[in-house]
Structure formats: structure tokens, C-alpha cells
Amino acid sequence: MADGQIAPPSRTEIKLSDYTAPAFAVDHVELDFTLDPKATIVRATLKLRRQAPGPLVLHGREMELHGVTLNGEALGDNRYTLDKTSLTIHDAPAACTLETEVKINPSENTELSGLYMSGTGFFTQCEPEGFRRITYFPDRPDVMARYRVTLRADRAAYPVLLSNGNKIAEGVEGSQAWAIWEDPHPKPSYLFALVAADLVPVRDQFTTKSGRLVELGIWVAKGDEDACGHAMYALKNSMTWDEDVFGLEYDLDIFNIAAVSDFNAGAMENKGLNIFNTAFVLAKPATATDADFQNVERVIAHEYFHNWTGDRVTCRDWFQLSLKEGLTVFRDQEYMADQFSAAVKRIADVRLLRATQFRSDASPLAHAVRPASYLEINNFYTTTIYEKGAEVVRMYRTVIGAAAFRRGMDIYIAENDNSAATVEDFLNAMQKAAPETDLSQMMRWYEQAGTPEITVTEAYDPQSRSFCLTLRQYTRPTPGQPAKAPFLIPISFGLLNAAGRDLRHGTLIMTDAEQSFVFEDVEEPPVPSLFRNFSAPIKMKGQSRARLAFLAANDADLFNRWDALQQYATLALLDAIDAHQKGIPFTLDTGLRDAIAATLRDAATDPAFTAEAILLPSETLLAEEMDIIHPDSIRVVREATRRALGEALSAEFRAAYKQFSTIDPHDISGPAMAGRALKNAALSYLAAAGDVLTAASQFVAAANMTDTLAALSTLVETEDAARDDALNDFYKTWRHNPLVLDKWFAVQARAGAPDTLARVAALTAHPDFDMRNPNRVRALIGVFSANMSKFHDVSGAGYRLLADTIIALDQKNPQIAARLATAMGSWRKYDTTRQSIMKAELERILAQGTLSHNTFEMASKALA
């Protein structure tokens, strides 16, 4: 290595097979913070006891150590070893008290992990390994301790001092305010939180079923109080639902939420003090869309539900991450299904799973729900861990039934309360609840990556009136797993007669690579409806268009009716894409036209379902069905289909638009949201057929953000003069509202107009584009990298823009940089021109000498 060259960081994988229990347990922690933007002093007192062989190792980085004391004796540097990532105490006795004092600089913490500055004060994010940037500690989830925290800060600048648990004292000493917080429940370090800021509270109360009075507070910047009503409603509703559905009550006297604009994720479930991205707290009709309102409710519920599935019962190690996240996503999905349309919620969840997780499973970035190894754990906060993990939990319930599943949940909580569990503990609880069912094969869903593909053959014998259904499962190779064992797959099904009536329905359990099921006394050849309500995360292969059309028109299961129409549309569009590649002119599939027309005729019965059913498969979903992806052809054909449908069904779309245009713009009930969703879906088709005036008129007249943004999203697909007028007007109106301005950036990054790439490049130099703010980066660069035709422009300019952003961002916020790198993970599926450019850009990223573990892992795996 040449003199002066910076050595790249060492790359050592962490492996599940290497897990060992911590040498020391921590029974109690006292933390004392003297908060200062550039020089925060943290004094930590740990009560330790040995529980396994090994040295006393405490994790820590980017801190200045001022002193170490063991059982009251100050230690010289010959009594410990200090390096860039740890502090090791030599010859620690079996029971001891360790005290340390460190200095940290929150103002320079641009990674937003640990203690950092944002807006009006100090905030923390400790999951997964941020606590080691605050003080020296065995920073791993299986070390659970009780915490007592003292906070001291300038009372004028930081009048609000919050931490986990219950506040037991507070006061003022000169220019400083202080507060003491105590959490009676043991927790891992990743659940530690503090906030010291100039915030104002929105307060309420909740009384649990057992009579505990809980003080609720949502802490926001001054001026945002009027946007917290929905978040408070969602919190109280979630607390009631968890008591009613799972029998789980809140267990502290205080529940606080603090909102911060600089946050790498959506929210964090710290015990008693949830810290939220403002995007998932602030909502009012003028500034938030219906989707925003639903996301606020979903994320509020998700983080609250973590109180039991994540906090009281946590994960033993980070390989078990889906144990808390997959389970809690399942719980928030069930909650949202109870608040709105269950079928539409299921459709939305599966749409997300297919667009993101299925794509990951088909790429070099594929990993199991419980990965076997990782270089950087932050890279595994993925839809595989969350959404696929939730599907695994849902399959448990489908296999053993709702009553047994609830018993299993009770057993799981009771046996693992205040401890760190594994996915085996969850399986064992479910097995105890349903001893008659062998669940051992469910472990393959945790251990094997990939999406099973299911093919079906049918045979009906009219003489014996028997029907034989044979299913085969196959999972393609993924990195490190060339061959897959069969999964346990629950198949919710119906057998329909020619009139669409169910002859049989129930659940089949598939455990072999090929398995036959015989039904006796079936009066006529049936049409099977398989995987109703998406009973397993699989891909069905080989269904004919005629079969799909029948199911789309007749299936009693709303999810399968939607799915059949989506699959029919996918086949029709893929055929048209193939024809476009061959130079054959586009023609609209009449079956697709008729199916959407029939769906629109029933719009008044279920507008929420209709709004979902008439949407075409996304460009991303179409791409995933192609061996070689042709972004330009996908775009041309999908837009031609939308235009042709808009023209052919103009009267129907216009009628739907008119029918649902009189809804109270401030009504955020489920029916009102459903009506607006259908109205704006119809608007999109009308504009695709050339009616820009209706969208422009709606933009001017809109009285809520849902209708405003829908009109703007429609206009940006064009190069009409009304587009630029609307964008300028929107910016002038909302430039001082960060969350709404994120929408302005995102709507341009998502557009399919010819000048989108140039616009996005120009927006990176816009005064309001801030690389330090994750929301803004996601709104522009993240959204653009998901824009199939524009990001994949054949010039490669989109790839170069993304790589430039990743390289610049990696040194500031490697978590966000690494997540952006996944956009090029499927580069091998494109034509050779695009392949070579993406490969070169990934190599350019990897050539950076000081690349973070985060970005190195994602870029190197993409190239592997």
C-alpha cells in the first residue's frame, strides 16, 4: 500500500452459527447525561455479573474516554484494552460495578445513529447498534437491564427532557433543567431513548381494562399541534384493539411519542418513548393524503404493538429480527384490516410484497427471513424480514386456525416475557397450542430464501365424480442455496361450479415437492380457486386467460377476484410488450377491457375494491415477469393500454369520477377514502386518454391534499403547460412545509414524462434538496430509482446519478446510501447495454477506498 493511502475497513461477516451467550449480564444501568451539542458528557454505572466464560467486552465507537472505575477503583490503561470499536476490562470479577465517563459530539453525528442533533434538540436512534455511540456497553439484544436515566441540559434551549419509563423527578439548577426517568422493565440497549428539545405536547389519557391510567403525550415542534389529532386517535384505538384481540395491556404510567424530521426509518418502538419520523405523526387534510392518514395509523399501531412483541419479548440476536418485526407487521396488518376493508388491505399488502420482496428474492440480494450471516445488520431491515416475515406468521394461523394461534401467542408471551427469544421459541409456542399438527417444516420459511412457484394439473372423472388436484412446488436457486427443500404451504381454496358457486372450500396443507389431493362426490368438473386471500407467499404459474377471466368475474374471494384480473392483465400486457419488441402495432385486449368495464359497473357497491381492481399491474411487476427487461417497451405498452382503456371506457370513467366528486373533502372515514380513491383512479384514465383539463380543474379546486396531489400526479405525466403552472403553484404554496415539499420532489421523480431524468438531475441542485435529510433523499433519489423507464434510461445517466448520490451520501449516512444501492441489484435481468453500465457504476461505488460496511455489502452482493 502506498504511503498516505487510506486503508479500507476490514470486512468480517457475523454468522448465526457463531452465536455465544454474553459473558456478563447487566442487571442495572444508571446513565447521567450532561447534554451539549459538541461536548455531551455521559457517565454510566453498570451492575454486572458473570454468566458465561469470556472477557468483559463493551462496544463503543467515536467517543472520547475520560475514565474507567471498577468497584470504586480507578483503572489505569494497563487494566483495560481500548480500540476503535470496544473497551475490554481485564480480570473483571464475577460480580462488579463498572463506571465510565465519555464525551461525544452529537452535532457531528450525520449517521443519525446514537445521539444526534435535529432541529430543536437532541434525539436518539439506537436500533440496531446506535447505543455503542453513546457509551461503552455490551450492545447486543440479549443483554437486558433496568435503566435509571438522569438528563441535564440548558433549560432555555432544551426545556423538554424525555426518556424511557416513568418520570420520577425533575427540577431546575441555575440555567440547567434536569429530569430523572426510570424504566421498571428490563430492556436491551437498542430500546434506550432520550429526547431533549424545545417541543410542545398534545396530551390525552387512556385507561386500560385493568384500570391503569396512562398519560399520553405526542411531542412536536411548535405550530404542529393541529396535525396530531389522527395520531392520538390511532394510538388510543391501537391500545384498545390490542387489549381486545390479543389481551395485551400497556404496562407503564406514561406513553410518549416524539416527532423528529431527521430520521432514517419510519419510527422506533423505544419502551415508553417512541421516536417517530414526522411523516408518520403529522396529518391533516390540507397537508396529508388519505394514504398518509392510513400510514400514520398503521405506523402508530405498529410501534405501539411492539410494546409486547419486541420490547417485553425481544430477539436474542439480530438474526432473529423477523421474530419481532414480522410478527408485529402481521399484527398491524390485522389491525388495519379491522379499521378499513379487509380485502383491500390484503390487496395492498400483497401488492407491496410482490413489487419489493419478490423482486429481492429473484436478485443477488436474496436472503432468508432469518439470514445465516451479515456484514452490516442495518442492511437487513428489508421487506423479507418485515413483510415476508409477516406472511410466515400468517401461515401459522392459517395452518392451525385462529383459536389455536391465539393460544400460541399467549404461550409465547408467557414463556418469553422480559427475555430475548428466537424463532424456535415462537414455533415451539405454536406447536404447544396445536400439538396435533407437525409444524417443524415451518422452519424452512426462516432458513431458505426464494419464492416458491406453484404449478397445477387437474383431472376430473365423471364416472366416479372425483376430482384430483396435483400441485408441484419449485423454488429457484438463490445465493448460497442452489437446491431447496419443499416448504410447508397452506392452500386456502374453493372449488367453483360453472355458475361460480363454491362446491367445496377449506385449507389444504402441502408438504412435498409434488402432492395430489382427491375430492370425492364432486357433481361437475370444478374450477379451483387456489391460495385464497393469498394464503402463502408463492407465485402461481400456468393459469390460462380463460380461467383467470372466469375467476375475476365469479370468485367469492375478493382477493382472488382482484388477483385473477391482475394476472389476466399481466399476461395481456406481456404479450403486447413482446409484440412491441417485434414491431407489431398495439391493440387493446378486449377481455381486459370487458373485465374492467364489468368492475366499474359494480363501483357503487365497493368503491375501495373497484379502485384497486381497475389499476393495471405496475411497470415493476411487469418487469419481474420478464426474462430480459425492456423498460422502454414496458412503458410504451402500459401507457398505450391506459390510453386505450380511457378512450374505450370514457363514459364509465367519467361517470365514476362524477359520482364520487361530492365527498366532503375533510372526511377521512373509510367510505370517503374509498370514494376518492376511485374518483382519482378514473381521473388518471381520463387524462391518459387526453383529458388534461379535468385534472387541471381539479388541481385548482381541490380542498384537500389527496385531490391536489392526485391532480398534480396526473399533470406531471404530460408536458402540457398546465403541468409547470401546477408545479410552480404547489411549490409556492407549500415550500415552507417539509413534508408537503417532499411530495413535490417525489411527484416529479415518479413522473413518466420524457424530461423526468433531466428534471431530477436539476432538482439535486435545488436549494431545498438537502442530502442530510433522509426524507428528502428518499423523496427524490429513492423514488426516481424506482421509476422503471426513466431511471433505466438507456443513456445510463440515471445510473450515474444514483451512483454519484450513493458515493456522496455514504460518508454522511451509510444506512440510506446502502438502501439506495439496491436499485441496481437486478442488473443482470436487463439488456447488455444497460447491464454493462450498471455493472460499471456498481464497480465505481466499490472502488471508493473508505466505503462503509453498509454500502460495500449491498454493492458487492449485487455484483457477486
Side-chain angles (χ1 to χ4, degrees):
M1 182 177 296
D3 291 343
Q5 185 174 340
I6 299 173
S10 60
R11 316 286 189 188
T12 303
E13 275 198 326
I14 309 298
K15 297 180 179 179
L16 172 61
S17 59
D18 291 339
Y19 173 84
T20 57
F24 283 81
V26 182
D27 293 322
H28 191 266
V29 181
E30 289 197 18
L31 299 175
D32 188 307
F33 289 83
T34 302
L35 294 162
D36 180 270
K38 295 184 180 298
T40 288
I41 302 299
V42 185
R43 300 173 183 86
T45 302
L46 315 183
K47 300 290 186 182
L48 298 143
R49 58 181 169 82
R50 180 176 291 281
Q51 62 179 10
L56 174 53
V57 179
L58 303 103
H59 303 102
R61 54 181 286 237
E62 299 182 33
M63 295 181 288
E64 181 181 304
L65 181 62
H66 285 182
V68 184
T69 300
L70 184 65
N71 287 337
E73 178 188 356
L75 300 185
D77 57 14
N78 63 323
R79 300 280 302 278
Y80 61 82
T81 299
L82 180 66
D83 59 31
K84 290 184 177 180
T85 61
S86 65
L87 171 65
T88 301
I89 307 299
H90 304 321
D91 303 321
C96 57
T97 299
L98 181 73
E99 299 171 79
T100 60
E101 180 178 304
V102 301
K103 183 174 75 171
I104 56 179
N105 185 347
S107 67
E108 290 188 357
N109 184 355
T110 61
E111 290 187 29
L112 310 184
S113 173
L115 179 65
Y116 65 92
M117 303 293 296
S118 174
T120 62
F122 298 86
F123 297 85
T124 55
Q125 172 56 29
C126 292
E127 185 178 357
E129 295 178 342
F131 193 73
R132 63 189 63 189
R133 297 169 63 103
I134 294 174
T135 190
Y136 286 101
F137 194 82
D139 185 18
R140 44 188 289 173
D142 55 354
V143 175
M144 302 178 71
R146 290 178 171 84
Y147 283 66
R148 181 183 175 98
V149 178
T150 301
L151 306 176
R152 312 172 198 275
D154 183 279
R155 63 174 178 169
Y158 315 110
V160 174
L161 303 175
L162 307 173
S163 192
N164 309 87
N166 299 316
K167 183 162 63 176
I168 60 174
E170 62 181 336
V172 174
E173 293 177 357
S175 63
Q176 286 204 323
W178 59 269
I180 300 175
W181 292 79
E182 191 166 65
D183 187 350
H185 299 284
K187 64 173 179 285
S189 53
Y190 80 84
L191 290 173
F192 170 77
L194 75 79
V195 172
D198 186 9
L199 302 174
V200 293
V202 174
R203 299 185 186 275
D204 207 330
Q205 294 180 328
F206 181 83
T207 303
T208 68
K209 282 191 173 180
S210 66
R212 179 194 291 270
L213 182 65
V214 182
E215 298 293 336
L216 308 177
I218 298 179
W219 298 82
V220 295
K222 291 175 183 176
D224 286 337
E225 302 95 314
D226 66 338
C228 295
H230 188 65
M232 185 63 79
Y233 159 81
L235 175 58
K236 296 177 72 173
N237 208 35
S238 302
M239 297 174 84
T240 299
W241 186 89
D242 215 14
E243 291 182 341
D244 292 343
V245 176
F246 284 98
L248 298 173
E249 287 191 11
Y250 189 61
D251 52 359
L252 291 170
D253 300 328
I254 296 172
F255 188 92
N256 282 318
I257 291 172
V260 57
S261 59
D262 297 304
F263 204 71
N264 282 340
M268 179 61 208
E269 70 266 20
N270 315 296
K271 184 74 176 177
L273 175 57
N274 286 189
I275 297 181
F276 267 66
N277 190 320
T278 50
F280 297 104
V281 172
L282 306 179
K284 56 184 179 181
T287 58
T289 64
D290 291 343
D292 293 331
F293 275 97
Q294 291 190 341
N295 280 331
V296 166
E297 185 158 3
R298 174 183 59 82
V299 178
I300 290 279
H302 180 94
E303 303 307 329
Y304 173 73
F305 296 154
H306 265 313
N307 184 63
W308 283 94
T309 52
D311 294 2
R312 285 285 289 263
V313 181
T314 192
C315 49
R316 185 196 71 179
D317 53 70
W318 291 120
F319 296 100
Q320 322 294 330
L321 180 57
S322 191
L323 179 66
K324 74 182 185 77
E325 294 301 347
L327 176 55
T328 306
V329 168
F330 168 78
R331 279 161 37 80
D332 81 53
Q333 289 175 348
E334 290 296 287
Y335 167 80
M336 292 298 286
D338 284 348
Q339 311 312 308
F340 300 95
S341 163
V344 171
K345 172 58 178 168
R346 191 70 182 128
I347 289 167
D349 291 339
V350 174
R351 195 192 292 278
L352 172 66
L353 186 80
R354 286 174 171 167
T356 56
Q357 198 282 318
F358 279 19
R359 180 178 61 185
S360 175
D361 263 353
S363 80
L365 302 178
H367 63 87
V369 172
R370 184 170 71 177
S373 65
Y374 61 80
L375 179 61
E376 171 52 63
I377 185 55
N378 278 296
N379 289 337
F380 284 88
Y381 285 74
T382 64
T383 51
T384 298
I385 300 295
Y386 282 67
E387 278 72 24
K388 188 174 182 179
E391 295 301 317
V392 175
V393 174
R394 187 177 299 275
M395 284 190 288
Y396 275 110
R397 189 181 65 174
T398 302
V399 170
I400 67 176
F405 179 80
R406 171 59 199 274
R407 291 196 302 272
M409 282 293 298
D410 291 345
I411 294 168
Y412 171 67
I413 296 293
E415 292 186 348
N416 298 284
D417 191 15
N418 287 322
S419 67
T422 65
V423 295
E424 285 87 354
D425 293 320
F426 187 77
L427 184 149
N428 291 338
M430 294 297 152
Q431 190 67 81
K432 289 179 181 179
E436 70 285 354
T437 304
D438 181 4
L439 296 173
S440 59
Q441 201 171 337
M442 287 295 294
M443 281 304 299
R444 290 177 184 167
W445 285 103
Y446 293 104
E447 296 166 349
Q448 296 184 154
T451 304
E453 298 176 1
I454 306 295
T455 54
V456 181
T457 56
E458 307 161 19
Y460 179 72
D461 184 345
Q463 292 186 336
S464 64
R465 298 186 8 140
S466 65
F467 177 68
C468 181
L469 193 65
T470 300
L471 292 91
R472 299 170 185 84
Q473 59 167 296
Y474 170 71
T475 305
R476 296 175 187 270
T478 55
Q481 294 182 336
K484 308 299 174 79
F487 290 93
L488 186 158
I489 300 177
I491 306 160
S492 296
F493 77 97
L495 300 181
L496 282 64
N497 66 11
R501 179 175 62 84
D502 271 10
L503 300 172
R504 304 282 176 83
H505 63 269
T507 301
L508 306 172
I509 306 298
M510 184 181 189
T511 56
D512 298 327
E514 179 175 323
Q515 201 162 339
S516 294
F517 303 90
V518 178
F519 302 86
E520 303 294 348
D521 197 26
V522 181
E523 59 200 52
E524 62 180 270
V527 176
S529 166
L530 302 178
F531 297 99
R532 284 181 160 180
N533 206 39
F534 202 64
S535 59
I538 58 86
K539 290 182 178 180
M540 276 280 288
K541 294 290 187 178
Q543 295 193 92
S544 69
R545 285 206 215 179
R547 169 68 56 82
L548 293 169
F550 178 85
L551 293 173
N554 295 286
D555 204 324
D557 184 83
L558 276 181
F559 175 85
N560 269 24
R561 189 186 299 176
W562 166 83
D563 196 32
L565 182 51
Q566 285 287 297
Q567 298 305 319
Y568 184 101
T570 298
L571 292 176
L573 268 64
L574 288 174
D575 283 351
I577 290 166
D578 184 60
H580 181 266
Q581 289 292 113
K582 297 173 181 175
I584 301 172
F586 171 82
T587 56
L588 177 64
D589 183 278
T590 56
L592 178 59
R593 178 201 62 199
D594 294 345
I596 290 181
T599 304
L600 284 168
R601 283 195 290 273
D602 293 332
T605 304
D606 192 343
F609 174 78
T610 302
E612 287 286 350
I614 65 175
L615 295 179
L616 294 177
S618 69
E619 294 181 13
T620 300
L621 286 173
L622 292 170
E624 289 307 307
E625 296 300 318
M626 301 174 69
D627 293 329
I628 300 295
I629 299 171
H630 300 284
D632 297 331
S633 292
I634 293 173
R635 174 73 184 177
V636 167
V637 167
R638 190 173 183 277
E639 287 307 295
T641 305
R642 292 201 322 120
R643 180 171 60 253
L645 287 169
E647 292 169 350
L649 303 176
S650 175
E652 290 89 340
F653 285 124
R654 203 166 296 281
Y657 182 82
K658 182 178 180 180
Q659 181 178 0
F660 294 100
S661 289
T662 58
I663 299 168
D664 179 354
H666 301 108
D667 184 352
I668 58 169
S669 66
M673 290 183 178
R676 280 192 292 269
L678 180 52
K679 177 189 74 172
N680 288 318
L683 176 68
S684 176
Y685 277 106
L686 292 171
D691 180 5
V692 178
L693 181 59
T694 300
S697 299
Q698 176 170 308
F699 179 82
V700 172
N704 61 35
M705 185 53 66
T706 300
D707 289 340
T708 299
L709 197 65
L712 185 60
S713 298
T714 300
L715 290 171
V716 297
E717 294 297 317
T718 74
E719 291 186 283
D720 191 276
R723 174 193 70 170
D724 294 334
D725 291 342
L727 284 169
N728 291 335
D729 182 73
F730 191 94
Y731 177 77
K732 289 176 184 176
T733 303
W734 298 110
R735 62 178 299 182
H736 298 300
N737 185 308
L739 293 180
V740 181
L741 196 58
D742 286 339
K743 301 179 193 302
W744 182 79
F745 278 95
V747 77
Q748 296 178 79
R750 191 178 293 113
D755 62 348
T756 293
L757 175 55
R759 278 181 169 270
V760 170
L763 285 170
T764 62
H766 193 281
D768 289 310
F769 180 71
D770 184 357
M771 192 82 83
R772 297 168 299 177
N773 181 263
N775 285 353
R776 192 59 46 85
V777 173
R778 283 187 287 256
L780 183 62
I781 305 301
V783 169
F784 174 67
S785 67
N787 185 332
M788 174 61 64
S789 60
K790 303 309 166 188
F791 172 64
H792 292 286
D793 185 90
V794 72
S795 69
Y799 308 144
R800 287 187 284 275
L801 174 63
L802 178 64
D804 288 343
T805 303
I806 291 169
I807 291 167
L809 190 59
D810 184 67
Q811 297 302 309
K812 300 180 178 70
N813 192 326
Q815 287 186 43
I816 302 300
R819 290 170 190 169
L820 292 175
T822 62
M824 293 188 285
S826 300
W827 62 275
R828 287 182 176 86
K829 289 195 69 175
Y830 291 81
D831 58 83
T832 55
T833 299
R834 290 180 170 91
Q835 278 190 31
S836 63
I837 302 173
M838 274 191 274
K839 183 173 182 285
E841 293 304 319
L842 287 166
E843 290 171 342
R844 180 162 71 94
I845 291 168
L846 285 172
Q848 307 304 306
T850 57
L851 200 65
S852 69
H853 286 335
N854 309 62
T855 304
F856 174 86
E857 181 172 37
M858 302 312 284
S860 60
K861 283 186 174 180
L863 285 172

